[in-house]
Amino acid sequence: MKRETGGQLLDRGTTRPGPPQAPPPRPPRWRVWLLLAGVLVAMALFFVPNPAAHHPESLTYSQLKTDIGAGQVASVALGQDGSVSGKLTNGTTFTSSYPVGLQDPQFTQLLDQHDVQVSTKPSGTPVWSLVLSFLPLLLIVALFLWTGRTARRQIGGLMGIGRSRGRLFDRERPSTTFADVAGYEGAKREVSEVVDFLKHPDRYRRAGAVGPKGVLMVGPPGTGKTLLARAVAGEASVPFISVTGSSFVEMFVGVGAARVRDLFEEARRQAPSIVFIDEIDALGQRRGGQLFANDERDQTLNQMLAEMDGFDPAGGVVVIAATNRPEVLDPALLRPGRFDRQVAIPLPAQREREAILVAHSRGKPLASGVDLNVVARGTPGFSGADLANLVNEAAIFAVRAGRDVIEALDFAEARDRILLGRRDGTNALLPEEKRAVAVHEAGHALVAALSPHADPVAKVTILPAGQALGVTEQLPVDERHLYSEGYLKDSLAVRMGGRAAERVVFGQVSSGAANDLAGATELATRMVREFGMSAALGPVGFTSGGPSYLGGLDTVRPYAEATQRVIDEEVGRLLREADERAVATLTDRRATLDRLTRVLLDRETIDGTDVDEAIRQT
């Protein structure tokens, strides 16, 4: 399959005008107080004297001449304005002045006679002294500008929280097409009208028809809903805006609604375009169904409903959404005019699984003995993502074995790795435990092979893998869509076969049948409560309250205690009948059971033909 290219953020450049921006917020009041404090500090630095500073001694002109004559002056600096400053021999600085207009020659002679160092003061104030005097004020102004810019960034971040998290993939249009989606021919036909509407809107307009506004794709996880949505955009050659439902809802009320508005404004600017909302159940859950109100979620959903209602039918914007939980969506979201049609994307059937395996195996070296039809038959219930993982795991097993070609054994090992877990060779069983596991699995296999409606046995192994000490695999010949009462009762007997074999051979049961009992109890409960296969309860059905595609526990019991008592009694009756049937079958075929147990202990893994051979020889 073609590799998906990465996405880029929505472009908000100058090529297209954006929506009118809100006026900038007023500056906070603390900025005014900060400026006032800075001015006060600057004034204090300029005009308030520093008591710690050392002030020079002030001398009169006569006293200055006397000190020079006494040899107490070390140096003087003369200014053109008559100012004099200098230092005495004891280190004290002084200031004085002399009459500029008198031209006193004795003053300069006196300086020469007593070897006083004479210098002249530069005219004006030095630049560096001005800079130093203004340095405190400059620092305060710089601090004020920095805090203001930081505050603007924070406010801008809060203002930008309402922008959509949608990502516009492939501005040159997605390259994925229906040819890249293996299988699902029915779903492709369902969404092909969306492609035709985006390509030829005039045809629909001339006929007075309105194209679909929204398509909701529902199905289990990993079935390729996102890939199919991208294929629709690729077939129509329009921009594809992808966003997840959880990216709308935040802790701030109103943020989600703003993001919805921004998303649809971008979609209208890119029209014709496709908006894909993945996991829409995070956004569109039924209102009023929660114990506590969620104003943010409700406002976001209301904005979503308003945006889809306000679509121009000829605008060329189609919303495609995907979810695993359609039963929790708000009815207003599912009505015609919003999501006009629902497309089910179920788990792939056998033919579709083979096509998906072919697509994922393309470019990988497969051995000549690999039959992908056999692999597809052995993977019922696998989604497209599971099959992709299966092919990758098979390639890993081939590399681990030092081969460059993937063989059929690698697919079998990969399937067991996915279903059962990693096989740990260090988890060795005790001899008596190994025999108990062999008896248990032989009982499953023998009851399955002798039941007329059960699926054929494909493989039996007593090698521990994951949490399972042994496994008996059954594979249907054809893909089933309906299950008869005879098939379900045979399935109960097969599940009870391992426990029954332990009781026939050892006279007691073990804890190894815990999973078998749990699965049999669940199946019997559905037979009684949902399928109406109980004469005591009658033709009634109580479906479970769990999600359709994700499973889950029952949260509401729509019947009384007396009905629950009848259900419990009927479930117990079905399980006892299945157990008695398995015990009777294995007792009659005790020799076959022992023979099959010996074959398992000897070879550890056998297939369905070995089971049939053991039945024929006894």
Side-chain angles (χ1 to χ4, degrees), residues 91-103:
T92 304
T93 59
F94 68 88
T95 59
S96 182
S97 61
Y98 66 93
V100 179
L102 294 179
Q103 298 294 333

Side-chain angles (χ1 to χ4, degrees), residues 22-210:
R26 297 182 60 185
R29 298 182 61 182
W30 59 265
R31 295 177 61 184
V32 179
W33 294 107
L34 180 62
L35 179 60
L36 181 60
V39 172
L40 292 177
V41 171
M43 293 177 62
L45 291 175
F46 275 113
F47 299 106
V48 176
N50 186 359
H54 177 72
H55 296 283
E57 183 179 356
S58 179
L59 301 177
T60 63
Y61 181 63
S62 301
Q63 183 64 38
L64 176 60
K65 292 177 64 176
T66 302
D67 290 343
I68 293 174
Q72 299 179 359
V73 178
S75 61
V76 296
L78 305 178
Q80 296 181 359
D81 56 352
S83 62
V84 179
S85 61
K87 182 183 293 185
L88 301 178
T89 55
N90 59 5
T92 304
T93 59
F94 68 88
T95 59
S96 182
S97 61
Y98 66 93
V100 179
L102 294 179
Q103 298 294 333
D104 186 0
Q106 296 180 358
F107 183 71
T108 55
Q109 293 177 1
L110 192 63
L111 293 174
D112 295 336
Q113 291 174 0
H114 294 84
D115 297 328
V116 177
Q117 297 180 2
V118 181
S119 60
T120 58
K121 294 182 179 181
S123 59
T125 305
V127 176
W128 62 270
S129 62
L130 291 176
V131 173
L132 290 178
S133 62
F134 280 99
L135 183 60
L137 180 60
L138 294 176
L139 291 177
I140 293 175
V141 171
L143 177 64
F144 173 76
L145 294 176
W146 178 78
T147 54
R149 181 172 298 179
T150 303
R152 282 197 301 272
R153 282 200 301 266
Q154 294 175 352
I155 295 175
L158 290 176
M159 295 300 293
I161 198 173
R163 293 181 178 177
S164 168
R165 302 294 179 89
R167 299 175 70 87
L168 178 60
F169 286 91
D170 295 331
R171 187 168 291 277
E172 299 299 328
R173 310 295 186 262
S175 58
T176 308
T177 63
F178 286 155
D180 301 313
V181 183
Y184 295 113
E185 299 302 326
K188 292 178 186 177
R189 286 193 297 269
E190 282 283 336
V191 299
S192 60
E193 289 187 2
V194 176
V195 177
D196 189 60
F197 166 70
L198 293 174
K199 281 185 174 181
H200 311 101
D202 294 337
R203 292 172 51 188
Y204 289 81
R205 190 180 302 112
R206 289 195 301 267
V210 178

Side-chain angles (χ1 to χ4, degrees), residues 365-367 369-370 372 375 389-418 423 459:
L366 298 183
V370 175
L372 294 181
V375 178
N389 185 38
L390 175 70
V391 175
N392 185 65
E393 287 287 342
I396 293 175
F397 273 102
V399 173
R400 191 176 300 164
R403 289 182 276 102
D404 296 331
V405 178
I406 305 174
E407 297 183 354
L409 178 63
D410 299 322
F411 281 98
E413 293 287 345
R415 179 180 178 275
D416 292 345
R417 174 71 174 83
I418 294 173
R423 179 168 286 126
K459 185 175 71 172

Side-chain angles (χ1 to χ4, degrees), residues 277-293:
I277 305 176
D278 197 9
E279 305 297 344
I280 195 175
D281 50 274
L283 164 66
Q285 289 190 24
R286 188 187 305 268
R287 290 166 293 182
Q290 297 88 1
L291 182 61
F292 301 101

